[in-house]
Amino acid sequence: MDSTKKILVVSAHPEPRSLNGALTSFAVEELRAAGHEVRVSDLYAMGWKAAVDADDFPGHAGDGPLDVLAAHERATLAGGLTPDVLAEQEKVRWSDAVILQFPMWWFSMPAILKGWVDRVFTNGFAHGPAVAPPYTGGALGGRRALVSVTIGARESAFSDRGAHGRLADLLFPVQHGLFWFTGMAPLEPFAVYGAVGLPAERFAAAKREYRRRLRGLFTDEPVPFRSLLDDYDRDMRLRPGAEEPGTAGLDVHLRSRRITRTGDVAPHRADDPSLVG
Amino acid sequence: MDSTKKILVVSAHPEPRSLNGALTSFAVEELRAAGHEVRVSDLYAMGWKAAVDADDFPGHAGDGPLDVLAAHERATLAGGLTPDVLAEQEKVRWSDAVILQFPMWWFSMPAILKGWVDRVFTNGFAHGPAVAPPYTGGALGGRRALVSVTIGARESAFSDRGAHGRLADLLFPVQHGLFWFTGMAPLEPFAVYGAVGLPAERFAAAKREYRRRLRGLFTDEPVPFRSLLDDYDRDMRLRPGAEEPGTAGLDVHLRSRRITRTGDVAPHRADDPSLVG
């Protein structure tokens, strides 16, 4: 069918019988039932190596210092990356959308998933002189990206005034710094709060909400980050006056946003009548 | 001597002959020359295991699902953590200050260092019911914490209006979410920008600046994050009107700050006359 898409789900939890494991399985089932092709990178099951090190560069002469940025570019362009990294790059290239499923540990992704990012998104593949400039929709452009995160603490602590910081700000390094940097279009994150010992009825509600988000994977409006080419000067600073009135902090990097009463960003929907009328 | 302090330097770069390696050595020499005791955790040299997994819990019955939060607490309180984790916890407990030395990769720390955080700062040691509440100066209180980070891109791109996001916001998960959460007092980060192929004169300037920061490790004023007990309601939201006038974004979690013309936070110095007069 024409609407068939390819989705890569990257999952990072050591316990398959966890909430993260359940959400990964749920996403795979839902997406396949909708006619999509799905591949899963279950990082723990794969025994994914987290740390970038000299073993990542079999072609590197051992007598010179290892310059990771340069070695990544050289290995990427010369086909000298290790098979595990090449396999993941092939999956990302194959995909129309990437979903990262992880528990929030210390306000960011678990080390094993950070190691997937560090090792797979190489200079020459996801950024650098050999590909399109950052923040322009190039490099890995045409792909959608969704964070699905479980969080032990309560939602209020991640609101605008929450002690842990606003979720959008905590995830800015992923949403803007990884996805949008490489040209992917990030959607609003899907988060399950209070995820420790989640009661059955809240798990059911989380699945209903996740189903809604998965159905909107290719139709919901992405987070409207700005293009580097349009809105920034040569020093990569936002041009004076370019920000939307009333925005501050990291929100200055949004083209526009609708703000709900609690200050959270409302997910934009392509079928939302307010966007067409 | 009375002013002797204990400092743990945690270093995360695969190449000892890198800028990170040089800054680690420089810090060790400077701090020892000043009469302090220094220990180094060179994570790559140690072969640090990054991923939290079932091997971290030798006492865990393999037939039940692994609940990381609960397993961490049980193992921590029962003395059942692995020797590598116990050794790092002992170093943190021993220390009066912790320095994290790392290259910024994808706008956060390398996976191996995230894995040090994930595995060492366990429930029962750094947070959780068995220790003091977060954001109160308890748990690991009495310790100072400094991020020393090398960044390939230019400084302007990390300013208030910089395309990559403001450095303080990108490091909020570390500064506030790790250090201040566990009671440590974070200093303003020390950053070397344009760190790719750093010319000798800029390396010399970086060392001068780092020396100044190391000398202020126990006297510079920490980032003035708020106490959870003073400024937040029971839902962990900042109380209405508590923020400093004119602050927005993640800065609402600062008690006060002095803003320079570029919008960067000026490091507070205990010997700064404006603070006493």
Side-chain angles (χ1 to χ4, degrees):
Chain A
M1 70 182 87
D2 266 35
S3 63
T4 295
K5 299 278 191 180
K6 302 181 180 73
I7 297 116
L8 171 62
V9 181
V10 183
S11 186
H13 199 286
E15 175 55 67
R17 292 162 293 179
S18 61
L19 177 57
N20 279 269
L23 291 172
T24 296
S25 301
F26 180 77
V28 171
E29 288 159 19
E30 284 289 314
L31 292 166
R32 285 191 177 143
H36 300 307
E37 292 179 55
V38 185
R39 292 166 79 179
V40 177
S41 289
D42 181 342
L43 299 181
Y44 275 96
M46 293 157 68
W48 182 257
K49 173 166 106 66
V52 174
D53 59 22
D55 292 343
D56 286 2
F57 308 101
H60 176 72
D63 50 346
L66 176 64
D67 175 336
V68 172
L69 196 67
H72 259 158
E73 183 178 41
R74 215 162 31 233
T76 302
L77 300 183
L81 294 168
T82 55
D84 58 345
V85 171
L86 284 171
E88 296 306 299
Q89 289 187 343
E90 189 272 319
K91 289 180 197 170
V92 172
R93 237 187 244 109
W94 165 87
S95 73
D96 299 305
V98 174
I99 298 175
L100 301 186
Q101 176 68 55
F102 62 92
M104 187 176 273
W105 288 351
W106 290 108
F107 306 102
S108 59
M109 51 177 69
I112 199 170
L113 181 54
K114 182 60 186 1
W116 184 81
V117 173
D118 288 347
R119 296 184 62 230
V120 173
F121 287 73
T122 61
N123 184 358
F125 171 73
H127 70 103
V131 298
Y135 309 128
T136 60
L140 301 178
R143 287 170 186 80
R144 298 206 149 206
L146 176 65
V147 161
S148 174
V149 62
T150 65
I151 298 177
R154 69 198 102 168
E155 184 167 6
S156 59
F158 291 88
S159 65
D160 257 21
R161 304 177 68 81
H164 296 325
R166 193 178 60 148
L167 185 65
D169 291 339
L170 295 171
L171 292 179
F172 188 84
V174 183
Q175 294 277 91
H176 188 266
L178 174 67
F179 293 150
W180 180 227
F181 186 99
T182 62
M184 305 174 81
L187 300 167
E188 296 295 335
F190 169 67
V192 179
Y193 295 94
V196 178
L198 194 72
E201 69 276 13
R202 291 202 49 236
F203 179 47
K207 284 195 289 190
R208 282 194 299 276
E209 173 62 11
Y210 196 23
R211 175 179 291 130
R212 195 182 70 74
R213 296 300 308 278
L214 291 169
R215 289 182 178 168
L217 189 56
F218 295 99
T219 49
D220 287 349
E221 191 176 318
V223 179
F225 288 127
R226 296 169 181 279
S227 169
L228 187 68
L229 302 175
D230 294 338
D231 299 324
Y232 298 85
D233 65 21
R234 299 179 77 173
D235 291 323
M236 293 185 75
R237 283 197 182 95
L238 188 65
R239 294 183 196 286
E243 65 268 37
E244 296 291 316
T247 56
L250 293 172
D251 282 354
V252 301
H253 301 291
L254 296 174
R255 278 185 284 108
S256 69
R257 60 197 296 263
R258 294 185 306 170
I259 299 173
T260 65
R261 219 167 54 82
T262 62
D264 294 319
V265 176
H268 295 212
R269 300 269 294 277
D271 58 354
D272 185 323
S274 72
L275 295 174
V276 292
Chain B
M1 69 182 90
D2 268 37
S3 62
T4 295
K5 300 278 191 179
K6 302 182 181 73
I7 297 116
L8 171 62
V9 181
V10 183
S11 186
H13 199 286
E15 174 55 66
R17 292 162 293 178
S18 61
L19 177 57
N20 279 270
L23 291 172
T24 297
S25 301
F26 180 77
V28 171
E29 288 159 21
E30 285 289 315
L31 292 167
R32 285 189 178 144
H36 301 306
E37 292 179 55
V38 185
R39 293 166 80 179
V40 177
S41 288
D42 181 342
L43 299 182
Y44 275 96
M46 293 157 68
W48 181 257
K49 173 166 106 68
V52 174
D53 59 23
D55 292 343
D56 287 2
F57 308 101
H60 175 72
D63 50 346
L66 176 64
D67 176 336
V68 172
L69 196 67
H72 258 159
E73 183 177 41
R74 212 161 32 231
T76 302
L77 300 184
L81 294 168
T82 55
D84 59 344
V85 171
L86 284 171
E88 296 307 301
Q89 289 186 344
E90 189 273 321
K91 290 179 196 170
V92 172
R93 236 187 243 111
W94 164 87
S95 73
D96 298 305
V98 173
I99 297 176
L100 302 186
Q101 176 67 56
F102 63 92
M104 186 176 273
W105 287 352
W106 291 109
F107 305 103
S108 59
M109 52 176 69
I112 198 170
L113 181 54
K114 182 60 183 8
W116 184 80
V117 173
D118 289 347
R119 296 184 61 229
V120 173
F121 287 71
T122 61
N123 184 359
F125 171 73
H127 70 103
V131 298
Y135 309 128
T136 59
L140 302 178
R143 286 170 187 80
R144 298 209 149 201
L146 175 66
V147 161
S148 173
V149 62
T150 65
I151 298 177
R154 68 198 104 169
E155 183 167 7
S156 59
F158 291 89
S159 65
D160 258 22
R161 304 177 69 80
H164 295 325
R166 194 178 58 150
L167 184 64
D169 291 339
L170 295 170
L171 292 179
F172 188 84
V174 183
Q175 294 278 93
H176 188 264
L178 174 67
F179 293 149
W180 180 227
F181 186 100
T182 62
M184 305 175 82
L187 299 167
E188 296 296 336
F190 169 66
V192 180
Y193 295 95
V196 179
L198 194 72
E201 69 275 13
R202 291 201 49 236
F203 178 48
K207 283 194 290 190
R208 282 195 299 275
E209 174 62 11
Y210 195 24
R211 175 181 291 130
R212 195 182 70 73
R213 298 300 308 279
L214 292 168
R215 288 183 179 168
L217 189 55
F218 296 98
T219 49
D220 287 349
E221 191 176 317
V223 179
F225 289 127
R226 296 170 180 280
S227 169
L228 187 68
L229 302 174
D230 293 338
D231 298 325
Y232 297 86
D233 65 20
R234 299 179 77 172
D235 292 322
M236 294 185 74
R237 283 197 182 96
L238 188 65
R239 295 183 196 286
E243 65 268 37
E244 296 291 316
T247 56
L250 293 172
D251 282 353
V252 301
H253 302 291
L254 296 174
R255 278 185 283 108
S256 69
R257 60 198 294 265
R258 294 184 308 168
I259 298 173
T260 66
R261 216 168 55 81
T262 63
D264 294 320
V265 176
H268 295 211
R269 301 269 293 278
D271 58 353
D272 185 324
S274 72
L275 295 174
V276 292

